[in-house]
Amino acid sequence: MQDYITAREAELTAHPAFERFDRDEALATILPFMSVATFWVMGFQDAVRLTAEIIEDPQLKVLAEQHRKEDAGHQVWFLQDLGTIDGAVPDVRTLFGRTHETTRDVTYALISEIYRAEEDIERIVLLLVMEAAFRAALPHALSYVQRMGVDAEFRFIGAEHLEIEANHAIIGDTIQETLEAIVLDEAARTRSIALVDRAFAQFLRLFEFFDAYLNKISETTAERYAEREQIIRTQATAG
């Protein structure tokens, strides 16, 4: 199952939505995606909390609780980065407005999988998929801000976060042994594969939305982000 998730992660990593990061486009044309990612990043914290609370299997509950602890506070990093990029965070009217609709729909769909699962192991599979999605996206974002010379201004899309994701305890040696010792029956395996496919489909939808959003940013919005870019570069130089 983990091999299957890894294969799907590779597909996500190579998604065309990330090509703009590799073209070294201006910060003002790239970083606005962070705003429309807000609902998912904040919702992810509820996803890991609910998973840890709902799981009953003792071994898997320990794993889920550890995962929750390690991801606690990452939303604060995100809000700090968003403050750097936008100068503010979306208010409630914006967050629940039309622009953020796709992000909300994806978040709800992923959280629904926690309740849809018939066995706890399926909920762990969902955690693995969510981690895979972060691992697919973060290297592109980090590499980009490093090449732009502003990586020191960011934490959520910074090196520390990527290192944590790469060395997450959920794939550590002890927990890996626990996962590998689990034998899925055919029914559970079939359900888990279907869950992986549904979850990755949602992440593909999310990344495609980010790409489309950046493609249609208005001239006024672009000018505002160009001003923010100058502020970020000035701060990076001063730092």
Side-chain angles (χ1 to χ4, degrees), residues 89-109:
V89 298
D91 63 21
V92 173
R93 287 170 297 184
T94 300
L95 199 59
F96 284 88
R98 186 69 177 269
T99 300
H100 293 246
E101 191 173 89
T102 298
T103 310
R104 296 199 309 274
D105 290 350
V106 167
T107 304
Y108 297 141

Side-chain angles (χ1 to χ4, degrees), residues 26-41:
L27 286 166
T29 67
I30 296 289
L31 296 181
F33 88 91
M34 291 282 284
S35 177
V36 289
T38 303
F39 198 87
W40 160 242
V41 174

Side-chain angles (χ1 to χ4, degrees), residues 49-57 61 114-115 120 123:
R49 174 182 61 82
L50 289 168
T51 299
E53 290 177 356
I54 292 173
I55 285 179
E56 296 181 351
D57 179 277
K61 196 172 188 68
I114 300 170
Y115 298 96
D120 285 342
R123 297 182 176 97

Side-chain angles (χ1 to χ4, degrees), residues 25-143:
E25 295 182 9
L27 286 166
T29 67
I30 296 289
L31 296 181
F33 88 91
M34 291 282 284
S35 177
V36 289
T38 303
F39 198 87
W40 160 242
V41 174
M42 305 305 286
F44 172 77
Q45 292 295 321
D46 277 337
V48 294
R49 174 182 61 82
L50 289 168
T51 299
E53 290 177 356
I54 292 173
I55 285 179
E56 296 181 351
D57 179 277
Q59 280 188 309
L60 298 182
K61 196 172 188 68
V62 168
L63 188 157
E65 287 286 0
Q66 181 65 29
H67 182 76
R68 177 184 177 183
K69 290 177 183 177
E70 292 189 353
D71 275 315
H74 290 190
Q75 79 276 16
V76 177
W77 297 355
F78 178 84
L79 294 176
Q80 289 173 347
D81 285 3
L82 199 55
T84 298
I85 294 164
D86 279 8
V89 298
D91 63 21
V92 173
R93 287 170 297 184
T94 300
L95 199 59
F96 284 88
R98 186 69 177 269
T99 300
H100 293 246
E101 191 173 89
T102 298
T103 310
R104 296 199 309 274
D105 290 350
V106 167
T107 304
Y108 297 141
L110 290 167
I111 289 179
S112 75
E113 296 289 351
I114 300 170
Y115 298 96
R116 182 175 181 173
E118 295 184 25
E119 296 184 44
D120 285 342
I121 187 58
E122 295 165 51
R123 297 182 176 97
I124 295 299
V125 167
L126 179 62
L127 285 181
L128 290 170
V129 172
M130 291 191 292
E131 286 300 318
F134 276 119
R135 287 197 305 271
L138 282 176
H140 290 279
L142 173 59
S143 178

Side-chain angles (χ1 to χ4, degrees), residues 10 83 166 190 226:
T190 298

Side-chain angles (χ1 to χ4, degrees), residues 176-231:
Q176 185 67 23
E177 291 175 5
T178 300
L179 292 174
E180 289 180 353
I182 298 171
V183 178
L184 296 177
D185 60 36
E186 191 59 33
R189 177 176 174 79
T190 298
R191 290 195 305 270
S192 294
I193 288 176
L195 184 158
V196 170
D197 290 340
R198 288 193 303 270
F200 271 107
Q202 290 299 327
F203 282 116
L204 284 170
R205 179 186 179 192
L206 187 62
F207 294 150
E208 286 168 0
F209 163 63
F210 291 161
D211 195 43
Y213 174 76
L214 293 179
N215 284 335
K216 65 179 183 181
I217 286 177
S218 68
E219 184 176 336
T220 301
T221 301
E223 289 177 357
R224 180 170 67 83
Y225 277 105
E227 293 174 359
R228 295 301 308 174
E229 176 176 348
Q230 290 304 313
I231 293 173

Side-chain angles (χ1 to χ4, degrees), residues 6-18:
T6 299
R8 294 304 309 272
E9 178 185 343
E11 294 176 21
L12 202 60
T13 300
H15 193 276
F18 295 121

